[in-house]
Amino acid sequence: MELKMAKCIDIIQFALMWSLLGRVQSQVLQLQSSLNEERHQRQSQVMQLQSSLNEELRVRQSQVLQLQSSLNEERRQRQSLSVDLQTEIRQRETLSRQLQDESRQRGALSVQIQEETRQREALSGQIQEESRQREALLEKLRIETRERESLSMQVQEIKALLLTKEENNPRNNTQTCAYKTGDPCCSYHVMEDAWRNINNGVNNGPSAPDQVPHCDSRNTLNFTGSNWFRVQGAAGQTLVHNKCPPQRHCGTNSPLWINGTLPALNQIVSSDLCVNTGTTCCWDAVKRTIRVKKCIGDYYVYELTPNLCSCCGFCTTN
């Protein structure tokens, strides 16, 4: 009985073990299947990861190549820049040497200019000294000239006085003009009309017919034999010199007058004969050049021209 019980127990244990073994095998197969599935998934993940790693590696390699290329380009640019910098440094050194040379030259030139300035100042001092000496000499010459002119004028006055005395002597006067053939001081016409004097005006109204303007173009002077004239008598002593007489004076509409330097004794000079038209004191259209001479006896003679304008007259004064 016990033996049967033991066999039963063994059978039961075997059945249990077999059943347990089947379940264990089933579990092992399930576990193995899940492990295979997991292995397959892991392999797939590994392949995906490897693919992504390979892609990232290619990207990183491409980036490395690009970076290396950019680094090489930057290296070439820096090398080129370094060469340019070295060239610029050499140029600046050359320019610095040139500037130093130029500075030395300017210093030498400045010294030369200072030396020339000192020489010029010395020369300027010499010139100023010479100028002062020349001014002193010129002043001395001017004083001597004035003294000589004064002495000459005194001599001429003495000569004129002596000649006037001889001229006023009838016997000597005849003898003086006797050997002066053609001298205007000995051969002239006399201008002695009282109406010619600058103090006389003119009234052109109908109530004073005797005061109509005189005109040398109508009342023609005597130009026969000589054109030289002397002012005498009621007319005065000379023609008006270097003073513009007013219009409608001197007994005429447009007075004629002399503009120019007066001559010394026995000297003949040229002067302008002018006419005052009222708008201008010396009308260019009729202005003439005449000759004037100062004669012994302190009087002037004038070489005149007839018919200067429509109604004008020679103006005289005392």
Side-chain angles (χ1 to χ4, degrees):
M1 193 65 178
E2 289 180 0
L3 183 61
K4 288 182 180 181
M5 284 298 290
K7 286 182 180 182
C8 284
I9 291 169
D10 289 336
I11 292 168
I12 291 169
Q13 287 179 347
F14 180 77
L16 289 171
M17 290 180 64
W18 184 257
S19 175
L20 180 61
L21 181 62
R23 285 196 298 272
V24 168
Q25 286 179 351
S26 177
Q27 289 178 355
V28 168
L29 288 175
Q30 289 178 357
L31 181 61
Q32 188 175 5
S33 176
S34 65
L35 287 173
N36 289 332
E37 182 67 25
E38 185 178 358
R39 185 185 303 112
H40 180 72
Q41 290 177 356
R42 293 289 178 88
Q43 286 178 353
S44 177
Q45 290 176 356
V46 167
M47 290 179 66
Q48 289 179 357
L49 181 60
Q50 187 174 4
S51 176
S52 64
L53 287 175
N54 289 333
E55 182 66 26
E56 185 176 358
L57 180 61
R58 284 193 298 274
V59 171
R60 293 291 177 88
Q61 286 178 349
S62 176
Q63 291 177 350
V64 167
L65 290 175
Q66 290 178 357
L67 181 60
Q68 187 174 5
S69 176
S70 64
L71 288 174
N72 290 333
E73 181 65 25
E74 184 177 357
R75 188 183 298 110
R76 285 193 297 272
Q77 290 178 356
R78 289 188 177 182
Q79 288 176 353
S80 176
L81 182 60
S82 176
V83 172
D84 293 340
L85 289 174
Q86 290 176 0
T87 303
E88 185 176 355
I89 289 171
R90 286 193 297 270
Q91 290 177 352
R92 290 188 176 182
E93 290 176 351
T94 303
L95 181 60
S96 176
R97 287 193 295 270
Q98 291 177 354
L99 290 174
Q100 290 175 358
D101 293 339
E102 186 176 354
S103 177
R104 287 192 294 270
Q105 292 175 359
R106 288 185 177 179
L109 182 61
S110 176
V111 172
Q112 184 179 357
I113 290 173
Q114 291 176 357
E115 182 64 25
E116 289 181 357
T117 302
R118 287 192 293 270
Q119 293 177 357
R120 288 183 179 180
E121 290 177 352
L123 182 60
S124 176
Q126 295 177 359
I127 291 173
Q128 291 178 356
E129 182 63 27
E130 290 180 359
S131 177
R132 286 192 293 269
Q133 293 177 358
R134 288 182 181 180
E135 288 178 356
L137 182 59
L138 286 174
E139 183 63 25
K140 184 178 179 181
L141 290 174
R142 282 194 291 267
I143 293 173
E144 291 180 356
T145 301
R146 286 195 295 269
E147 291 176 351
R148 289 181 181 180
E149 288 177 351
S150 177
L151 182 60
S152 176
M153 289 178 65
Q154 292 176 4
V155 170
Q156 288 181 0
E157 289 176 357
I158 293 172
K159 286 182 178 180
L161 182 60
L162 294 174
L163 290 173
T164 301
K165 289 182 178 180
E166 292 182 359
E167 184 72 17
N168 291 332
N169 188 333
R171 181 175 57 82
N172 291 338
N173 185 45
T174 303
Q175 292 176 355
T176 300
C177 284
Y179 63 83
K180 290 185 178 180
T181 305
D183 186 352
C185 292
C186 298
S187 176
Y188 53 79
H189 300 291
V190 176
M191 189 183 299
E192 56 186 356
D193 306 298
W195 56 265
R196 296 183 183 278
N197 195 281
I198 192 172
N199 295 321
N200 294 325
V202 58
N203 183 357
N204 207 14
S207 61
D210 58 331
Q211 292 296 315
V212 295
H214 296 276
C215 306
D216 279 328
S217 58
R218 294 201 298 265
N219 303 328
T220 306
L221 293 171
N222 183 11
F223 285 95
T224 59
S226 173
N227 289 348
W228 291 88
F229 290 81
R230 175 183 175 181
V231 179
Q232 282 184 311
Q237 297 176 348
T238 65
L239 292 179
V240 174
H241 292 155
N242 299 326
K243 177 182 178 183
C244 179
Q247 191 190 25
R248 298 182 61 78
H249 276 64
C250 310
T252 185
N253 278 338
S254 301
L256 292 163
W257 59 285
I258 306 298
N259 185 26
T261 304
L262 292 175
L265 183 64
N266 284 326
Q267 183 185 10
I268 296 178
V269 298
S270 295
S271 297
D272 290 332
L273 180 62
C274 294
V275 57
N276 182 4
T277 62
T279 57
T280 176
C281 270
C282 195
W283 188 21
D284 288 335
V286 297
K287 184 172 69 175
R288 299 288 188 275
T289 300
I290 66 168
R291 294 192 297 168
V292 183
K293 181 177 181 180
K294 185 174 184 180
C295 301
I296 297 172
D298 197 22
Y299 66 92
Y300 296 94
V301 290
Y302 309 90
E303 188 179 32
L304 303 178
T305 302
N307 300 326
L308 288 173
C309 51
S310 62
C311 187
C312 52
F314 294 99
C315 187
T316 62
T317 183
N318 296 324

